[in-house]
Amino acid sequence: MQNIIFFGDSLTAGYQLPASASFPSVLQQRIDSLGLSYKTFNYGVSGETSAGGRMRLASVLNRQPVDVFVLALGANDGLRGIPVRETTQNLQTIIDQVKLKYPEARIVLVGLEFPFDLGPLGGHRMARYALEFKALFRELADKNSLPFVPFLLQGVIGQRHLNLPDGVHPNAAGQKILADNVWAVLDGVLATKV
């Protein structure tokens, strides 16, 4: 049995949903139905920033061996307007620490982006931030040669019927689409043996 660690924020945790509705749990059901010998661990923490994730990473890496590490952090950085450079450095540190402790682990990076054009709201500065924020994930994936999920919330963001009343967090139906978005990349990762 190999372990898949999902390391993220409220989107991974399945905010305000039963644990079984979170996308890592949905993926476990799919993995089981395919007869694959992987166990998923959901280390999503609501409100977590990339800096917070960097701080708690060591304790997560010490809990069980890591075969696949799915890194899905950054949404709260974007919402808080944390400089892209800081988010990039934090995520790179997380990637480096996983590689250091588990050199054979396969790491998947999950991308995020702002759901709408911020230009009219915050002028050019916010629009530029949104572009840089979106780009940081692909740049990190390319730099580290990581399998990459371009946008976790693809097909869910802005869809009322797929989100909780707050309009930000996916409901159970939305989490199933997040699972599909991640599976599109994770499937290939699980199919390749180390």
Side-chain angles (χ1 to χ4, degrees):
M1 187 67 77
Q2 294 194 57
N3 298 328
I4 308 174
I5 306 303
F6 290 89
F7 194 72
D9 49 36
S10 58
L11 300 174
T12 301
Y15 179 75
Q16 288 194 345
L17 297 173
S20 61
S22 70
F23 80 81
S25 294
V26 173
L27 287 171
Q28 181 70 67
Q29 295 161 21
R30 186 170 299 182
I31 286 165
D32 292 346
S33 73
L34 293 169
L36 301 173
S37 55
Y38 286 92
K39 178 161 177 47
T40 62
F41 294 85
N42 188 341
Y43 287 109
V45 173
S46 292
E48 181 106 290
T49 60
S50 62
R54 194 188 75 223
M55 298 303 289
R56 77 176 166 106
L57 179 65
S59 68
V60 170
L61 295 181
N62 286 329
R63 291 186 192 165
Q64 66 277 310
V66 176
D67 299 291
V68 178
F69 189 91
V70 180
L71 178 54
L73 272 177
N76 290 304
D77 294 46
L79 291 173
R80 296 175 189 188
I82 291 171
V84 167
R85 186 183 71 256
E86 286 182 35
T87 302
T88 302
Q89 289 170 347
N90 289 330
L91 294 176
Q92 183 64 59
T93 298
I94 291 169
I95 292 165
D96 291 343
Q97 289 180 0
V98 173
K99 286 180 175 177
L100 186 65
K101 187 157 177 78
Y102 296 102
E104 298 299 311
R106 289 157 286 165
I107 303 171
V108 176
L109 184 63
V110 177
L112 293 156
E113 58 187 72
F114 282 100
F116 46 78
D117 178 12
L118 295 170
L121 301 175
H124 297 302
R125 207 175 84 229
M126 284 308 290
R128 189 170 69 241
Y129 178 83
L131 285 172
E132 290 173 359
F133 180 81
K134 175 183 177 180
L136 84 85
F137 297 97
R138 183 168 294 282
E139 288 166 8
L140 270 175
D142 290 348
K143 175 184 172 186
N144 294 280
S145 300
L146 302 179
F148 180 57
V149 177
F151 183 30
L152 178 62
L153 295 171
Q154 185 71 44
V156 176
I157 200 85
Q159 302 294 319
R160 259 204 175 122
H161 65 288
L162 296 174
N163 287 281
L164 297 176
D166 65 13
V168 175
H169 294 96
N171 59 22
Q175 284 280 336
K176 287 181 180 172
I177 295 174
L178 267 58
D180 289 341
N181 293 341
V182 173
W183 184 251
V185 173
L186 187 61
D187 180 26
V189 172
L190 302 189
T192 57
K193 295 288 179 209
V194 178

